[in-house]
Amino acid sequence: MTMVEQVPVEAAAPRDGRLRVFLVDDHAMFRAGVRAELGTHVEVVGEASTVAEAVSRITATQPDVVLLDVHMPDGGGRAVLEAVRRTHPQVRFLALSVSDAAEDVIGLIRAGARGYVTKTISPDELTDAIRRVADGDAVFSPRLAGFVLDAFAARPDAPVADPELDQLTNREREVLRLLARGYAYKEIARELFISIKTVETHVSNVLRKLQMSNRYELSRWAADRRLV
């Protein structure tokens, strides 16, 4: 995947020759995979699975770059970012998420993230993205960069809000997005590390909240909002 970078600003200085990276994701297996893939290219100084844990440990370790999941059960990556930036503005954030929805990308960038890449990124590309963010570049995949450019060019001060979408929890949005892409329930369960029964519950909740009767209506609704 080719990265899109903007003009670099003041660079962050690594403390011992390697960039110090912190991992925030609520899936332990994913964190272990990222740690293994990064290898010796960076120093992983810590990890966390909840917002409170992440804020506490990031402020204690003060890494150069935080790899930040967007959707977590207790508030999500934006809550981590906003809490840390109040006291440690020098820490830079790179979103690493399964979500490539426009509202997630724009919301994180408005909150102060320096980049946003999806979990399909290769280890070499991720290492490069971390280095570029640490150097002050803004790093996105081409599709995601388009969302940001369009949003800030058209309505630079407008919040990203959708009353209907705001009814849904972060997990319900993830399930909706995958459902709209044609994933079967078992594929959604595997992708999100949840049970098929939990997927069914989320789908039922989404249908009820949006007052729709089937997945085809949900797919059209999601496509209209560029969630697919």
Side-chain angles (χ1 to χ4, degrees):
M1 178 175 67
T2 301
M3 293 293 169
V4 175
E5 306 86 31
Q6 297 180 357
V7 178
V9 295
E10 181 182 354
R15 293 168 184 149
D16 64 354
R18 287 190 300 164
L19 290 172
R20 303 172 73 253
V21 175
F22 194 98
L23 309 178
V24 180
D25 194 287
D26 60 331
H27 294 128
M29 288 181 63
F30 179 77
R31 295 197 309 272
V34 171
R35 184 188 287 269
E37 288 175 346
L38 290 177
T40 60
H41 299 297
V42 302
E43 179 187 0
V44 178
V45 296
E47 57 184 65
S49 60
T50 68
V51 171
E53 182 183 41
V55 172
S56 174
R57 293 184 178 179
I58 291 169
T59 55
T61 57
Q62 298 186 43
D64 299 300
V65 177
V66 176
L67 289 182
L68 186 66
D69 191 16
V70 177
H71 297 307
M72 295 188 295
D74 59 343
R78 183 164 183 169
V80 175
L81 195 159
E82 291 174 341
V84 172
R85 278 177 59 84
R86 283 195 290 268
T87 56
H88 296 80
Q90 79 282 4
V91 176
R92 293 193 168 120
F93 289 82
L94 172 61
L96 177 61
S97 176
V98 69
S99 172
D100 60 0
E103 77 275 7
D104 287 337
V105 179
I106 297 165
L108 262 291
I109 299 307
R110 287 192 188 280
R114 291 297 302 173
Y116 194 118
V117 294
T118 63
K119 290 181 177 179
T120 57
I121 193 170
S122 74
D124 287 344
E125 290 168 342
L126 180 57
T127 300
D128 182 63
I130 291 169
R131 288 172 176 159
R132 291 179 182 277
V133 165
D135 285 341
D137 290 353
V139 181
F140 309 91
S141 64
R143 169 179 162 82
L144 305 189
F147 291 157
V148 176
L149 292 173
D150 289 347
F152 281 83
R155 302 177 65 194
D157 299 319
V160 179
D162 184 323
E164 290 185 299
L165 189 62
D166 288 344
Q167 299 178 74
L168 307 182
T169 66
N170 290 333
R171 184 63 85 191
E172 287 167 354
R173 293 186 193 192
E174 290 179 329
V175 170
L176 169 62
R177 191 170 297 117
L178 294 174
L179 191 72
R181 290 176 180 171
Y183 282 55
Y185 283 11
K186 65 179 180 180
E187 294 172 322
I188 296 174
R190 184 168 59 248
E191 183 76 16
L192 299 180
F193 301 95
I194 57 179
S195 69
I196 295 176
K197 183 65 175 177
T198 301
V199 173
E200 292 173 348
T201 299
H202 286 314
V203 172
S204 295
N205 290 340
V206 171
L207 288 169
R208 175 178 52 80
K209 290 179 180 181
L210 299 181
Q211 299 182 15
M212 296 180 187
S213 58
N214 57 61
R215 66 179 297 166
Y216 304 106
E217 291 181 0
L218 287 177
S219 294
R220 288 196 299 271
W221 187 89
D224 288 343
R225 284 160 175 77
R226 298 178 66 184
L227 302 181
V228 182

